Amino acid sequence: MDTHSEHLRINPARFQANFDALSEIGATDDGGIHRPTFSEAHLAARAWFRDLIRESGLEFRVDEAGNHSAYLPCGPEDGPTLLLGSHLDSVPYGGRFDGALGVLSALEVLVVVKEAGISLPINLEAIDFTDEEGTHIGLLGSSALAGKLSHSDLEHPRGGKVAFIEGLNRAGLTKDGLLNAARHQGSLAGFVEVHIEQGMRLIDANAEIGVVTSIVGIGSSILTFIGRSDHAGTTSMEDRLDAAQGASAFILVIRDILHESFPHCVANVGKIDLMPGAFNIVPAEAILRLEYRAPEAHTLRILGQALLEGARFEANRFGLGLEVEDLGEYPPSLMHDEVRSAITNAADTLSLNHIPLTSMAGHDAQSLAGLCPVGMIFVPSVDGASHSPREFTTWENCIHGANTLLQTALRLAINIDQVG
Ligand code: HGY
Ligand code: MN
Ligand code: MN
């Protein structure tokens, strides 16, 4: 790579100004962000990104999955595109960095390449994927772009069918459009994503950059424990068919299942609703949102089965019924060796400490794996905090992440004939 490109760096002032402006959209009083997919704040963030793309002199594109992109035709007109980016949607009451850092790092890379007037063997695109966090359907936009979305995937939205359709309507999207958003194989030269680690390993290793080796597989389901509503005062404890008791027993047994048989995995019940939901009615139903994660596909499957057996056992123990709605699984994915070495080489050029590490968080990169060479660059999360207003990465490390993305993109672009 020529020395001019090797010395290219992002513009820290512009990068920070953009990040601070974006952090105002959907900001919560405690320094966090509330931008669930298709919420007013999310749509406002996307409109802000569209305007910034145009002000930056880049081409704005949006596909039928609602993925918003900046496009820089710095390569041959019919040449492949190196995709960079992440997501602008957030979990409810989350942090400012998750996703947003990756989208703005990608945009900054395109602006720097444009300003430098560099022509490359490929074109560059900075993308904001739709619904990475799964307010409705996790990895929605990236799965659609990768052509991995099926009709049945759209039938079990995690936030319910009515909310999903209302959200699509607000965003001007349709289910058919989602299923029609696939990029054809060969149009993508690769995908690289900058993201906060959302854990403590980089901090503990005193490293500035994480070179991701693989991304965890994730499964989720809705479990409904079914009892009987009764008067909470006149029904003896023995006579109750109390859905809350069975569900609570299951939530506690999850820890035992993981500790005893799945030490490298995790599981979480992030939401529980009790119906009818009054102080003085024994709950007839307990609706649990269960998510579980494993580094390997086979382990993910047997973990899902073990959790289901645990749920059935506790339901029986309390005389309850159990209904299961399977919301599907995202397979774990390996990152591409050539992309990993381009990231490592870029970090070395920037004299940044780097370590290889797996990701227990899901990311859009796992949708693109298999379609094109894929890689991820992690930056440290202070206290490992994420999916929380406590989420924080030092600005110095944000700049390190964006510069590593810039130098990685240039390496991949120039060596593109070897990478694909
Ligand atoms: O949940 C995750 O792992 C990611 O933040 N979507
Ligand atoms: Mn997240
Ligand atoms: Mn994320």
Side-chain angles (χ1 to χ4, degrees):
M1 195 163 85
D2 68 76
T3 46
H4 169 61
S5 303
E6 195 139 88
H7 289 94
L8 274 182
R9 298 293 181 266
I10 65 141
N11 178 321
R14 174 175 61 206
F15 184 44
Q16 179 149 21
N18 287 340
F19 185 83
D20 291 347
L22 176 58
S23 298
E24 289 302 311
I25 305 173
T28 49
D29 297 343
D30 50 10
I33 287 287
H34 182 65
R35 278 201 304 253
T37 298
F38 302 145
S39 63
E40 197 182 315
H42 177 238
L43 298 178
R46 295 195 121 174
W48 173 86
F49 183 52
R50 177 201 59 217
D51 296 346
L52 179 61
I53 288 168
R54 289 174 174 153
E55 287 156 20
S56 307
L58 298 165
E59 185 185 328
F60 170 68
R61 293 183 173 183
V62 57
D63 67 16
E64 291 191 81
N67 297 316
H68 283 46
S69 296
Y71 183 76
L72 177 64
C74 49
E77 196 174 335
D78 56 352
T81 300
L82 180 59
L83 204 48
L84 313 171
S86 191
H87 60 93
L88 293 181
D89 67 295
S90 81
V91 291
Y93 305 101
R96 291 177 292 145
F97 297 82
D98 181 349
L101 183 66
V103 174
L104 293 183
S105 299
L107 181 71
E108 179 61 23
V109 167
L110 266 64
V111 176
V112 170
V113 171
K114 180 177 185 299
E115 285 175 335
I118 300 173
S119 55
L120 297 168
I122 47 94
N123 300 294
L124 290 176
E125 183 174 349
I127 195 162
D128 153 34
F129 285 117
T130 299
D131 202 14
E132 188 277 345
E133 294 289 5
T135 296
H136 301 289
I137 296 168
L139 308 183
L140 181 60
S142 52
S143 302
L145 183 143
K148 293 181 178 175
L149 209 54
S150 66
H151 273 281
S152 63
D153 294 330
L154 302 181
E155 293 315 306
H156 301 280
R158 300 209 298 191
K161 290 186 178 174
V162 172
F164 181 46
I165 297 303
E166 286 174 353
L168 288 177
N169 292 340
R170 277 199 300 276
L173 302 174
T174 64
K175 283 186 176 181
D176 288 345
L178 286 167
L179 295 168
N180 190 39
R183 296 273 181 101
H184 65 81
Q185 187 92 20
S187 66
L188 291 180
F191 174 66
V192 190
E193 178 172 6
V194 168
H195 204 284
I196 52 174
E197 179 203 338
Q198 301 175 297
M200 279 299 288
R201 288 166 294 171
L202 289 177
I203 297 277
D204 290 345
N206 195 26
E208 287 121 334
I209 296 293
V211 185
V212 177
T213 55
S214 64
I215 301 177
V216 72
I218 302 179
S220 57
S221 49
I222 298 177
L223 304 181
T224 303
F225 288 76
I226 302 165
R228 186 186 62 209
S229 48
D230 275 311
H231 193 296
T234 57
T235 311
S236 73
M237 294 309 281
E238 292 69 32
D239 289 347
R240 296 179 184 210
L241 297 178
D242 184 339
Q245 295 284 320
S248 310
F250 169 59
I251 290 173
L252 288 173
V253 94
I254 288 175
R255 287 178 64 86
D256 303 337
I257 293 171
L258 272 284
H259 281 154
E260 281 155 28
S261 317
F262 298 92
H264 303 298
C265 304
V266 292
N268 187 54
V269 173
K271 190 171 189 297
I272 179 170
D273 289 317
L274 297 178
M275 307 304 284
F279 281 88
N280 55 1
I281 307 175
V282 174
E285 283 191 357
I287 306 159
L288 276 64
R289 279 62 163 195
L290 170 68
E291 190 191 80
Y292 50 96
R293 304 183 184 210
E296 301 89 22
H298 172 65
T299 313
L300 185 70
R301 213 169 358 268
I302 58 173
L303 171 57
Q305 289 160 1
L307 290 167
L308 212 43
E309 277 161 35
R312 286 207 177 93
F313 180 84
E314 295 306 330
N316 287 336
R317 193 154 73 90
F318 287 86
L320 305 173
L322 180 71
E323 280 175 5
V324 179
E325 183 182 358
D326 180 355
L327 301 181
E329 288 181 353
Y330 300 103
S333 60
L334 291 176
M335 298 295 97
H336 194 289
D337 289 345
E338 295 296 336
V339 183
R340 286 173 55 184
S341 53
I343 296 170
T344 304
N345 188 292
D348 286 338
T349 301
L350 294 161
S351 309
L352 298 174
N353 294 332
H354 55 83
I355 58 168
L357 75 181
T358 58
S359 174
M360 283 304 281
H363 295 287
D364 288 309
Q366 70 197 107
S367 301
L368 278 293
L371 183 77
C372 63
V374 165
M376 286 195 77
I377 300 164
F378 275 175
V379 292
S381 294
V382 173
D383 296 334
S386 182
H387 284 191
S388 150
R390 293 169 28 249
E391 190 174 275
F392 183 73
T393 294
T394 66
W395 193 248
E396 184 191 21
N397 281 330
C398 291
I399 291 171
H400 289 331
N403 276 324
T404 305
L405 182 67
L406 170 62
Q407 287 298 319
T408 299
L410 292 171
R411 279 160 177 71
L412 288 173
I414 291 158
N415 302 330
I416 209 63
D417 46 346
Q418 287 96 41
V419 169

